[in-house]
Amino acid sequence: MRTEAINRVKHVFTLFDADGNGVLESDDFDLMSSRVAAAVPEADAARKQAMHASFARYWETLVGELDADHDGRITYDEYQACVLSPERFSGAVDQFASGFARFGDVDGSGLVTRPVFVGMMRGVGFDLPNIHALFDAFEPDADDRIRVEVWEAEIKNYYAPDKGGIPADLLAASPAA
């Protein structure tokens, strides 16, 4: 398992712990999906519902795979064990990546603008300089847009234990200059 993958997962765990209590709970995913939805006011209700559903499926997979004592809480150790095991978690990551990235395609063009990307990623809690560094790594077009499928693929890469030196590493690095 690559150090970069562990760093990415550790970072996203702290972001998913939206209330900061040290464990993941259903309310964390509700809060985060609400923040992301609020960051993209131009998204229609159907897109918001699909994005909320992707966060809910992600949580349901986590709690179903990991919550042995059925207390509705996931610790970091439990989280790392699951998300860095593709055989246990790739389906949930695939669904989450698709729902999240496609939410940013507010006009159905297959493209995501920088303001929408930034808003969504800020809704998750990533640092602004890192968000811009990642967007730039995706090589936006002349109108400052990226392809949805590029973003979706990189979300999947974020959780891949064998990936390193990838654009997604920019999100877990010390804030970019």
Side-chain angles (χ1 to χ4, degrees):
M1 185 169 318
R2 296 186 64 110
T3 302
E4 297 97 324
I6 294 168
N7 290 340
R8 291 188 306 260
V9 168
K10 192 178 296 182
H11 185 67
V12 84
F13 180 88
T14 63
L15 298 177
F16 280 169
D17 181 16
D19 64 9
N21 70 351
V23 295
L24 304 183
E25 300 162 304
S26 177
D27 289 348
D28 291 317
F29 288 78
D30 291 340
L31 179 58
M32 186 169 294
S33 66
S34 294
R35 289 177 184 164
V36 171
V40 188
E42 61 268 46
D44 63 30
R47 287 189 186 281
K48 288 181 181 182
Q49 185 176 20
M51 187 270 306
H52 283 293
S54 72
F55 272 91
R57 279 191 306 273
Y58 190 94
W59 168 250
E60 289 164 9
T61 298
L62 283 176
V63 78
E65 284 282 332
L66 301 175
D67 191 18
D69 62 1
H70 305 291
D71 68 350
R73 301 160 57 107
I74 306 298
T75 66
Y76 173 72
D77 289 338
E78 292 169 325
Y79 182 76
Q80 179 184 9
C82 182
V83 299
L84 291 177
S85 299
E87 68 279 1
R88 294 178 68 191
F89 205 64
S90 64
V93 169
D94 290 352
Q95 289 177 355
F96 177 76
S98 176
F100 190 74
R102 293 185 188 290
F103 178 66
D105 179 14
V106 294
D107 64 1
S109 66
L111 300 166
V112 179
T113 65
R114 185 181 298 262
V116 168
F117 182 87
V118 168
M120 290 176 64
M121 297 297 278
R122 290 292 290 161
V124 172
F126 290 105
D127 291 325
L128 189 57
N130 299 63
I131 295 167
H132 284 292
L134 178 61
F135 192 87
D136 291 339
F138 290 154
E139 300 178 355
D141 67 14
D143 293 323
D144 210 24
R145 303 171 303 178
I146 59 168
R147 301 216 46 84
V148 169
E149 65 267 10
V150 170
W151 188 16
E152 183 178 337
E154 197 60 21
I155 293 169
K156 294 173 188 176
N157 287 342
Y158 191 95
Y159 292 96
D162 60 339
K163 302 273 184 175
I166 59 173
D169 290 334
L170 294 166
L171 292 174
S174 297

